Amino acid sequence: RIASRALLLRYIVRLWGSGTDYETCAESLEGLPETDMPWRICALRSGALSRGRTSGDKLRNACDEFVLGTFGPKLAKYLTGPVDLVDGERILVASDNLERVYCGHVVGGGNKEIMRSLSFQHRKVLGPTTMPIETAAVMARLARVEAGHTVLDPFAGSTGCLLATTYMSKTPGIANDIKSEPLASAAEANFSGEDELPPPEVLPPCDIRDLVLRDDLLLDAIVTDPPYGKREFFSKNPFGWLPPLIE
């Protein structure tokens, strides 16, 4: 459950042993539960001197003869199942720039689906200050957006924040922006992908201080990324919109 909600977490590992180097780490692998699951050894490096390689979010199968020779025989005493280099359970050997070596069973990982499906590469409309999905998703988590929640973005722009909140709520959000055309185009284009996210309700364009919401509308959260930077107009009182909105 934790792994399914985690966004920036890479792997969850049940630690079996550790040591100051590969040999002492392998020696610490004692008393492991015997299992006949298919398995494979994967390597993760977090320093230029460590052994093993990774590519993006995927763990590669260990190809270093020293790693395989050191850990393979030891693990084979407890892991009696076949070695499967494609679908086998991942046994991780990770080194922290050779200062510490860890070995354990990868039992889960963070939710990378939202990062891949809603990344910049998959969006049809991008604004000059579009919120990256990683940041928007963390903001949605901090706002505790859950399924069924209605979320307002008063500075919707090209819908960067709404994509993340709608992914989590599965409910149409409420979008407002002082510029109508960019928002309308983004709301139509960015919500028409394979994820089938419900498009937001786009309010008539207005300054946030003049925003009028329906009397029957109850908001569960406001998640927004106010205009900022040299590419957008920046008021001397950037948070002047907040009190009228709360009132």
Side-chain angles (χ1 to χ4, degrees), residues 161-235:
C161 284
L162 279 174
L163 283 168
T165 58
T166 306
Y167 181 92
M168 297 177 188
S169 70
K170 310 303 181 186
T171 302
I174 309 297
N176 175 78
D177 201 272
I178 198 170
K179 301 176 183 179
S180 60
E181 180 56 34
L183 173 57
S185 300
E188 179 180 358
N190 290 343
F191 286 81
S192 61
E194 298 179 357
D195 297 286
E196 298 182 352
L197 299 178
E201 175 186 346
V202 179
L203 301 177
C206 67
D207 188 278
I208 186 62
R209 289 170 290 188
D210 301 321
L211 180 63
V212 178
L213 300 176
R214 302 193 314 268
D215 293 337
D216 63 338
L217 179 62
L218 296 178
L219 297 175
D220 296 287
I222 300 174
V223 180
T224 190
D225 175 33
Y228 62 90
K230 297 180 179 179
R231 291 173 291 180
E232 294 288 350
F233 171 75
F234 191 83
S235 169

Side-chain angles (χ1 to χ4, degrees), residues 76-97:
K77 293 170 53 180
Y78 305 98
L79 306 180
T80 59
V83 173
D84 186 338
L85 298 181
V86 178
D87 298 318
E89 290 292 308
R90 294 173 295 179
I91 309 304
L92 175 65
V93 175
S95 59
D96 181 14
N97 207 17

Side-chain angles (χ1 to χ4, degrees), residues 11 13 40-44 54 59 71 90-94 102-106:
Y11 300 109
V13 180
R40 53 185 165 139
I41 299 178
C42 297
L44 174 67
T54 61
L59 283 178
F71 288 89
R90 294 173 295 179
I91 309 304
L92 175 65
V93 175
Y102 304 89
C103 181
H105 179 203
V106 178

Side-chain angles (χ1 to χ4, degrees), residues 10 28 31 34 37 48 56 73 79 90 107 132 135 137 141 159 163 175 180 203 241 244:
R10 193 169 187 185
S28 70
E34 292 189 12
M37 66 180 183
L79 306 180
R90 294 173 295 179
V107 296
T135 309
R141 282 282 186 253
T159 67
L163 283 168
S180 60
L203 301 177
W241 55 271

